Amino acid sequence: MNYFLTTFRRLLVLEPSTPAISRTVTKIVPQPKSTANAAESKIYEKAVRSEMTTLLGIREIDALRLLTANKKLLSASDSLIEENISTCLRHGLTKDILLRHPFLLYETNLEEKLSSLKELPLDLSVTLSFARMGTKYLRNLQLMGKVLTDRIADIQRMFNVPLEQACQVLATRRFLLWKPLSELEEILSVFSEYQIEREELLRDLWVFKYSVDQITSRLGFTKQHGVKLKTWMIRCPEDVLYKHLKRESDNRDILGENSVTQYLSQKLHCSDIMAKNIIKKHPQLQNKSLLKINLMIDLLYKYGFTPMHICRVPKVLLHSRKTSEMRLKQLKAFGKLPDSLYILTKSQKQYLQHLDNLVKENTKSLTAL
């Protein structure tokens, strides 16, 4: 591992004119995989993260994000990383560019890919996202010529993004290279009509695979139900959409003119501040069926729990009512209804272990008699 870190430090300060670095066959210490070595794995990741803050001049939290998004950095050989850094420097790519495109550090056939990209009529620093593609695909891009540059310009204009981001869009959603421009613009016009922001479309470009008729039909149908339109509603199966629409309808019936915060405050007999804290701690509550939450609260009240019990363990509201009811029946049969609702939020394995302990306690009590 020290060799890996030393290599990184030495390479990242090289200038593009530095002679090619001799290659080695030493591997980075592999990330431990067994459960027994989990602690060692964390120590290894922490050491790499710490060194990357020094080597790349970034904060530790940014180094963590970098490693989280690029796990291959932990398993790639240092010889590959060494070769790729040397290749990038020879092609005039700076350290800042490497930070924006960390996949370059572990990409295979990088020399061939960068050479292919240099044949495109755009600066290499702009088209680097295409390096994720296979070498054969890159050769096809070269053959496209003006067709490619025109499509990059179209994406840049349509989504109002920088040229580099337009290339990234096309590199990750290749179907946008071939779909007729007139159809793309018509789809974009439909989304604009239904007030779906372009920023949301950029996060879910798969919706452009659908036809104008499919998109118009699904958005029109959904809008009739008075819900906020989202791109996933176009892609999801009909039964998923119907389920969502029913939940939204049920929620409106329960809430009336109130907010979710006001509903919880009234239902749990607590202050608005406490209700807000519950939602802040468990934001999933805002997307969960209020009908199910309502039924869960009523179930807990039925078994003698108070609003304060729920406020102390609001996570219980996110769990299955059916499972919770089954557990409460079992615990009541043992005469051991809990003082806290934590046991209802535990995994099935943890709950069964708790149940087993109750059986053992009962057995001891009977033996003592």
Side-chain angles (χ1 to χ4, degrees), residues 193-239:
E193 179 184 342
Y194 282 94
Q195 299 180 331
I196 295 180
E197 300 293 335
R198 299 193 183 196
E199 289 75 13
E200 183 177 350
L201 295 175
L202 280 169
R203 293 192 295 268
D204 191 8
L205 290 164
W206 289 115
V207 292
F208 282 87
K209 292 196 78 171
Y210 295 83
S211 70
V212 174
D213 289 342
Q214 287 174 310
I215 294 170
T216 303
S217 174
R218 182 62 69 92
L219 289 178
F221 170 77
T222 308
K223 187 177 181 180
Q224 291 174 0
H225 290 77
V227 300
K228 187 175 181 179
L229 299 178
K230 293 289 183 179
T231 53
W232 66 263
M233 296 174 179
I234 296 166
R235 296 182 290 99
C236 70
E238 284 188 356
D239 60 324

Side-chain angles (χ1 to χ4, degrees), residues 263 290-300 321:
Y263 160 76
L290 288 180
L291 180 60
K292 291 182 178 180
I293 292 176
N294 205 45
L295 291 172
M296 173 64 92
I297 293 174
D298 289 343
L299 172 69
L300 296 175
R321 184 177 64 90

Side-chain angles (χ1 to χ4, degrees), residues 270-285:
C270 66
S271 67
D272 283 351
I273 294 176
M274 182 174 285
K276 285 179 182 178
N277 287 335
I278 289 173
I279 293 174
K280 184 178 180 180
K281 189 174 181 180
H282 301 286
Q284 308 97 305
L285 287 169

Side-chain angles (χ1 to χ4, degrees), residues 19-30:
I21 303 164
S22 60
R23 292 163 174 67
T24 64
V25 293
T26 310
K27 299 284 184 180
I28 299 175
V29 177

Side-chain angles (χ1 to χ4, degrees), residues 7-254:
T7 299
F8 241 99
R9 183 179 288 108
R10 177 164 56 88
L11 288 170
L12 286 175
V13 297
L14 290 176
E15 296 298 328
S17 58
T18 303
I21 303 164
S22 60
R23 292 163 174 67
T24 64
V25 293
T26 310
K27 299 284 184 180
I28 299 175
V29 177
Q31 187 178 8
K33 295 181 180 179
S34 66
T35 305
N37 292 328
E40 185 180 345
S41 174
K42 289 181 180 179
I43 292 172
Y44 174 79
E45 279 201 41
K46 186 175 181 180
V48 175
R49 187 169 71 243
S50 177
E51 283 297 320
M52 290 187 77
T53 62
T54 303
L55 298 170
L56 303 178
I58 57 179
R59 298 175 303 168
E60 185 164 347
I61 190 171
D62 294 324
L64 176 60
R65 290 193 188 105
L66 189 65
L67 289 173
T68 301
N70 300 274
K71 287 294 186 183
K72 290 184 180 180
L73 279 172
L74 293 170
S75 58
S77 68
D78 60 357
S79 58
L80 175 61
I81 294 174
E82 179 180 345
E83 180 180 353
N84 283 356
I85 293 176
S86 181
T87 298
C88 288
L89 293 173
R90 285 199 308 274
H91 283 275
L93 301 178
T94 65
K95 186 174 73 173
D96 288 338
I97 292 176
L98 284 175
L99 285 175
R100 293 205 307 272
H101 302 280
F103 73 91
L104 294 170
L105 297 173
Y106 53 80
E107 195 69 27
T108 56
N109 301 318
L110 188 60
E111 174 64 47
E112 185 178 354
K113 291 178 178 181
L114 294 184
S115 297
S116 295
L117 290 177
K118 274 195 165 182
E119 297 297 319
L120 299 178
L122 290 169
D123 190 84
L124 178 60
S125 62
V126 171
T127 61
L128 276 175
S129 295
F130 291 123
R132 288 181 178 273
M133 298 178 171
T135 51
K136 290 183 178 179
Y137 203 96
L138 287 178
R139 285 194 288 271
N140 290 334
L141 288 185
Q142 287 179 264
L143 298 175
M144 290 177 67
K146 191 174 183 299
V147 174
L148 174 63
T149 53
D150 285 349
R151 181 48 58 97
I152 293 173
D154 291 333
I155 295 298
Q156 182 185 21
R157 172 182 53 79
M158 288 171 63
F159 293 101
N160 191 26
V161 295
L163 201 57
E164 184 177 342
Q165 189 175 353
C167 290
Q168 184 181 6
V169 165
L170 292 173
T172 54
R173 301 292 180 260
R174 301 178 192 179
F175 68 90
L176 292 173
L177 281 165
W178 318 115
K179 195 147 188 170
L181 178 61
S182 58
E183 190 171 349
L184 291 177
E185 290 181 328
E186 189 175 356
I187 291 172
L188 192 61
S189 177
V190 171
F191 284 127
S192 178
E193 179 184 342
Y194 282 94
Q195 299 180 331
I196 295 180
E197 300 293 335
R198 299 193 183 196
E199 289 75 13
E200 183 177 350
L201 295 175
L202 280 169
R203 293 192 295 268
D204 191 8
L205 290 164
W206 289 115
V207 292
F208 282 87
K209 292 196 78 171
Y210 295 83
S211 70
V212 174
D213 289 342
Q214 287 174 310
I215 294 170
T216 303
S217 174
R218 182 62 69 92
L219 289 178
F221 170 77
T222 308
K223 187 177 181 180
Q224 291 174 0
H225 290 77
V227 300
K228 187 175 181 179
L229 299 178
K230 293 289 183 179
T231 53
W232 66 263
M233 296 174 179
I234 296 166
R235 296 182 290 99
C236 70
E238 284 188 356
D239 60 324
V240 173
L241 179 61
Y242 292 152
K243 184 178 179 180
H244 174 76
L245 294 177
K246 184 179 186 308
R247 183 174 69 238
E248 290 294 304
S249 176
D250 291 340
N251 287 355
R252 284 196 298 269
D253 291 341
I254 292 172

